Amino acid sequence: MSVLRTKSVEQSIADTDEPEFRLKKSLSALDLTVFGIGVVIGAGIFTLTGRAAHDVAGPAIVISFAVAAIACALAALCYAEFASTVPVSGSAYTFSYSSLGELFAWIIGWDLILEMFLGASVVAQGWSAYLGTLMAQLGAPIPEEIGYGGTIDLMAVLLVVVLGALMTFGIKESLRVNLVLVAVKLFIVLFVIVAGLLFVNPANWSPFVPEAQPREAASGLSQPLLQFLSGIEPTAFGVGGIFAGAALVFFAYIGFDVVATTAEETKNPQRDMPIGIIASLLICTALYCAVALVVTGMVPYQDIDPAAALANAFVFHGADWMATLISAGAVAGLTTVVLTLLIGATRIIFAMSRDALLPAGLAKVHPRFRTPWVISIVVTAVVAVVAGFTPIGLLEEMVNIGTLSAFVLVAVGVIVLRRKRPDLKRTFRVPFNPWLPGLSAAICVYLMLNLTVETWLRFLIWLAVGFVIYFAYSRRHSRIGQPGYEDFALPHVVSHQRDDPDGDPRL
């Protein structure tokens, strides 16, 4: 009954072949790359760039994006090694189960449920806001009562229900729709970058790294935990501003880890998983840096609108029609983010239910569509209700802390599994182990310390609820803790006793 009991890699892979839990393998490296781009590039490319440039970094926000990309790349390498070694649904949850033990796996699975449920709900509301803007620009405004901020955000609810039905119908069908929407999103982003070059004034890039100056500090529960513990006052611009900007824009990259949740549905996960994770991150980095360069070249960083930087950069130059195009791009872009987060949430819960840490009945796979249809319905219903009725703007940072905690455990898990199971076949290996995974964990811990005290308190409350559920239900029902359970990877003697009344070959 040890809380640190592990589930071997071999057993995790063997579980995927059980008929009642078998998912359809249909995804390629291209599908995974598109999946990653679909979830990473969202509203951040339209808003976060301007806020970081205006508040903390100036034109050097381009360097901030590069620094954040390096930090993400370290985490991506760890995910790529695990996803190719343990090609099973569940992402960081499954990886932690194989390396750190059941309690850590439960903690990270519980965190990922929080991340993806809240993430999908928050983004669905953001989608509703952009849809309202677009429809108003087209002369057909959505009634306030059923739009963003209304009595019920009906637009967000409808989006979640439609995408939930699509997700239940099939993973390949979902990603075909995702492919079309990502193509639209990339076309608009690239068009905006090219069109923006016509308005660039190189003088706006000077000075590229503005002189450092004190930044208005938050206080009380709204201040970063690092500031609360150390008393260090934050600075803006200068070299410090570059790293402050990196901490801010890091969250624009969050989402590539969702790719790992589809490992079990990938045709050749050992080859395609590393390609999908790393390629999506590289493409998103190039696009982010290009957008940052164009926006800061179009408008002096002091004059950038932090709320809607890209759209207002074109309004600044009299190209109002571009705002409509950007709103359309945001609607397409956020649709793909909601879809991928819904899929990610179902695969996390599927893996936990298959291990009986959550009720095993949830993990039923549809006999025709080969998707976890019960979980899909539950996830869709919960996210639709939260998105439609709950003002969750204050909970957005909870998405970030859940993700970063997963990054830390995956990085540590790579180090641990290398030592515990050096015999495992690894088609992709993080170089310079344990130094690069250790550096990845340290960077993620630093970024977590930059989140507010209030976020940490909410996170600790969520963890406390998770511990209660684990010790009250999951620990006792866990599949690997049941009498007679045999790990596929462990040697055991099999002898048949015909006089056994149950005919159990293990006796």
Side-chain angles (χ1 to χ4, degrees), residues 71-92:
C72 274
L74 296 177
L77 292 174
C78 297
Y79 268 88
E81 174 168 329
F82 257 130
S84 61
T85 307
V86 195
V88 177
S89 286
S91 183

Side-chain angles (χ1 to χ4, degrees), residues 8 15 34 76 79 133 138 169 279 318 323 343 369 408 422 442 470 476 487:
S8 72
D15 286 348
V34 171
Y79 268 88
T133 301
L138 296 175
F169 183 71
I343 293 173
F369 302 137
V408 172
Y470 174 74
R476 291 186 295 107
D487 194 313

